[in-house]
């Protein structure tokens, strides 16, 4: 069940476990019969977790973390951390804040396996719920029952434009049509400051937005900490400060491994300096 829930595929889970798909399906069905619960909804797009399945999956994750920690302690008498961490976030903060905040720790503890994954903001809560990551990074307060939240620091947004090129009036660059950064920024300003003839173009990710702004393809709303030593863009003055809390989120559980606790400690201690 754990492998199927992780991979969202009976065929890939069976291959990973070295058994036939039929045998795997029978094992999961037998578990459901014993529990008298439906854990997985069989869907052509892949198995989907029920509420009971999500509860059991979180139990499996805790058990797996405990097993990794015990085995790591048995294998080594040193204070080296072992195990794996999976952190999902939006591209700008993941690369500019989260990875640098953990870099020194990860260099010192090379036995820790890292899996950093970038997602669109609106996908991240499902990534956590579906156990595709142990931690997610958001730019808002999730404030959901059963999820622990730590504020890592404020991310400040500013309007930027190209230093070299004249910018088309009213054209702003965003990640995708679902990206609300520009609209949220101007909602925080006076109504008179909302751009006239407002139009958008889409650059794929935050670094595409930054490159597009440098090339004069439009103005953009950008995290101020990403502009360090960038001489190709300038901040447009006259706007009120707009800040959003960057948060670290994970499921509340009865046991947290030493590695889990250390990751939380490192991020809550180091992230704010990279956001300034």
């Amino acid at each position: 069940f754990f492998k199927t829930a992780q991979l969202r595929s009976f065929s890939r889970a069976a291959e990973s476990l070295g058994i036939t798909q039929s045998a795997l399906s029978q094992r999961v069905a037998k578990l459901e019969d014993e529990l008298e619960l439906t854990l997985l909804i069989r869907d052509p797009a892949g198995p989907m977790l029920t509420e009971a399945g999500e509860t059991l999956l979180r139990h499996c994750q805790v058990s797996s973390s405990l097993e990794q920690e015990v085995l790591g302690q048995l294998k080594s008498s040193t204070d080296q951390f072992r195990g794996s961490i999976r952190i999902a976030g939006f591209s700008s903060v993941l690369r500019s804040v989260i990875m640098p905040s953990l870099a020194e720790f990860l260099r010192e503890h090379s036995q820790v396996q890292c899996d950093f994954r970038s997602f669109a903001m609106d996908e991240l809560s499902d990534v956590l719920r579906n156990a595709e990551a142990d931690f997610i990074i958001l730019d808002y307060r999730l404030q959901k029952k059963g999820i622990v939240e730590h504020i890592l620091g404020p991310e400040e947004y500013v309007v930027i434009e190209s230093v070299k090129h004249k910018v088309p009036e009213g054209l702003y660059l965003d990640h995708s049509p679902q990206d609300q950064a520009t609209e949220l920024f101007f909602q925080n300003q006076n109504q008179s400051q909302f751009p006239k003839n407002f139009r958008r173009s889409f650059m794929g990710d935050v670094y595409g937005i930054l490159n597009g702004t440098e090339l004069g393809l439009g103005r953009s709303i950008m995290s101020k900490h990403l502009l360090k030593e960038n001489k190709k863009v300038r901040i447009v003055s006259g706007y009120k400060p707009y800040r959003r809390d960057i948060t670290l989120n994970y499921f509340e559980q009865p046991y947290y491994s030493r590695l889990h606790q250390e990751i939380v400690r490192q991020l809550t201690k180091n992230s704010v300096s990279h956001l300034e």
Side-chain angles (χ1 to χ4, degrees), residues 6 44 124 135 153 156 161-162 173-174 198 225 235 241 248:
Q6 283 183 309
L124 284 166
F135 304 91
E156 182 176 354
E161 64 183 8
S162 172
L173 309 181
D174 277 325
F198 179 62
H225 74 271
I235 296 174
L248 173 70

Side-chain angles (χ1 to χ4, degrees), residues 7 44 58 87 91 99 130 145 147 173 190 197 211 213 217 240:
L7 297 178
R58 289 196 287 276
I87 302 179
S91 59
M99 292 173 67
N130 294 334
K145 186 179 179 181
I147 294 179
L173 309 181
N190 299 325
N197 305 317
N211 294 152
T213 308
L217 304 184
K240 291 191 297 183

Side-chain angles (χ1 to χ4, degrees), residues 216-229:
L217 304 184
R219 285 182 172 180
S220 63
I221 308 303
M222 185 57 58
S223 304
K224 194 173 182 180
H225 74 271
L226 293 175
L227 305 177
K228 297 171 184 175
E229 300 180 7

Side-chain angles (χ1 to χ4, degrees), residues 91-92 95-96 158-163 165 172-175 179 201-235:
S91 59
S92 60
R95 287 172 56 177
S96 64
V158 293
V159 180
I160 62 170
E161 64 183 8
S162 172
V163 169
H165 304 283
Y172 281 78
L173 309 181
D174 277 325
H175 175 283
D179 185 359
S201 289
F202 308 111
M203 302 290 113
D205 63 21
V206 69
Y207 297 101
I209 295 172
L210 190 54
N211 294 152
T213 308
E214 293 169 355
L215 294 168
L217 304 184
R219 285 182 172 180
S220 63
I221 308 303
M222 185 57 58
S223 304
K224 194 173 182 180
H225 74 271
L226 293 175
L227 305 177
K228 297 171 184 175
E229 300 180 7
N230 189 324
K231 307 297 184 184
K232 296 181 180 180
V233 298
R234 58 173 163 246
I235 296 174

Side-chain angles (χ1 to χ4, degrees), residues 4 8 12-14 27 31 68-69 72 78 105 115 138 166 173 175 182 186 222 224-225 231 252-253 255 257:
T4 305
R8 288 294 192 276
R12 283 187 288 148
R27 290 186 188 185
L31 175 61
Q68 286 185 33
E69 182 169 275
T78 69
F105 168 77
D115 183 0
L138 302 173
K166 185 177 179 181
L173 309 181
H175 175 283
T182 301
F186 284 110
M222 185 57 58
K224 194 173 182 180
H225 74 271
K231 307 297 184 184
E252 185 178 14
Q253 53 197 49
Y255 170 82
S257 69

